[in-house]
């Protein structure tokens, strides 16, 4: 991994590691802010995964744990692409709950939330870039296509070889009939 790539990943993940650790230590500070979003998500969670706890505090802690763990993975370059996708996924409810500028009446609060909303949108974009980054190596799509092309060439080669051997066998058999023994 290049030094620039390592530094960029560490810088991008820093906010998630720090805020994840802080939220894990004190999730109660965010319960009131997160409640409107978790109340909307709870019926869907109960329907799709009935055994998952759906209280707001537990959902906040789960989100914080994912941010902390995936942030560390991104910073260290371990499973960085899936970690970036996980972080992007955790950013959506955090942004919707924490910065609903569209519902603010006070112009200063609206501007502040809008700036934070756009900052999180920028982080989301950076995480998508990190998720797409193959570090200069061919991506899965290219490798799959290359493998398919290689397999097709191998099959064509095998068919040509089988035809040639069949022609030689026929030629050998006809020669053996003409000149027995």
């Amino acid at each position: 991994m290049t030094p620039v790539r390592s530094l960029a990943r560490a810088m991008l993940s820093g906010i998630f590691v720090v805020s994840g650790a802080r939220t894990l230590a004190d999730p109660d500070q965010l319960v009131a802010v997160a409640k409107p979003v978790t109340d909307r998500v709870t019926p869907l969670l109960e329907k799709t995964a009935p055994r998952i706890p759906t209280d707001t505090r537990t959902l906040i802690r789960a989100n914080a744990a994912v941010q902390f763990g995936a942030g560390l993975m991104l910073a260290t370059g371990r499973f960085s692409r899936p970690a970036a996708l996980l972080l992007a996924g955790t950013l959506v409810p955090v942004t919707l709950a924490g910065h609903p500028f569209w519902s603010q009446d006070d112009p200063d609060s609206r501007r502040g939330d809008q700036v934070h909303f756009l900052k999180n949108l920028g982080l989301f974009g950076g995480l998508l870039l990190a998720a797409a980054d193959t570090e200069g190596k061919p991506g899965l799509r290219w490798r799959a296509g290359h493998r398919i092309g290689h397999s097709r060439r191998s099959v064509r080669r095998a068919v040509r070889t089988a035809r040639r051997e069949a022609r030689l066998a026929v030629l050998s058999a006809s020669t053996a009939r003409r000149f027995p023994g």
Side-chain angles (χ1 to χ4, degrees):
M1 188 178 334
T2 66
V4 171
R5 194 173 262 121
S6 298
L7 181 62
R9 285 187 179 152
M11 291 167 59
L12 182 59
S13 67
I15 186 70
F16 297 102
V17 173
V18 171
S19 66
R22 283 183 183 161
T23 303
L24 277 171
D26 185 20
D28 296 326
Q29 66 181 344
L30 297 174
V31 169
V33 174
K35 189 116 176 81
V37 173
T38 59
D39 286 346
R40 293 180 80 181
V41 173
T42 297
L44 178 65
L45 287 175
E46 288 173 344
K47 186 177 177 182
T48 57
R51 296 181 189 187
I52 292 178
T54 56
D55 63 290
T56 302
R57 188 173 190 278
T58 303
L59 292 175
I60 290 170
R61 291 195 73 182
N63 194 55
V66 170
Q67 284 188 338
F68 182 75
L72 287 176
M73 290 187 335
L74 181 63
T76 59
R78 296 293 214 175
F79 302 106
S80 56
R81 294 177 72 191
L85 283 176
L86 279 171
L87 289 172
T90 66
L91 199 56
V92 172
V94 167
T95 302
L96 292 175
H99 310 296
F101 67 91
W102 53 89
S103 66
Q104 296 290 341
D105 293 329
D106 178 39
D108 290 334
S109 295
R110 178 185 291 257
R111 240 178 272 124
D113 274 346
Q114 191 173 31
V115 166
H116 286 295
F117 184 90
L118 292 171
K119 172 202 50 119
N120 283 4
L121 196 60
L123 284 171
F124 190 82
L127 290 167
L128 291 179
L129 283 173
D133 181 26
T134 61
E135 299 180 26
K137 298 173 189 163
L140 185 60
R141 181 177 176 193
W142 182 88
R143 285 185 278 172
H146 183 72
R147 193 81 216 127
I148 289 169
H150 178 73
S151 297
R152 284 181 182 156
R153 286 188 300 276
S154 295
V155 167
R156 278 191 229 123
R157 218 174 295 127
V159 167
R160 280 195 310 265
T161 301
R163 284 181 183 159
R164 186 175 44 244
E165 289 176 359
R167 279 193 303 260
L168 288 174
V170 167
L171 184 62
S172 177
S174 69
T175 304
R177 264 192 278 148
R178 277 193 224 150
F179 305 107

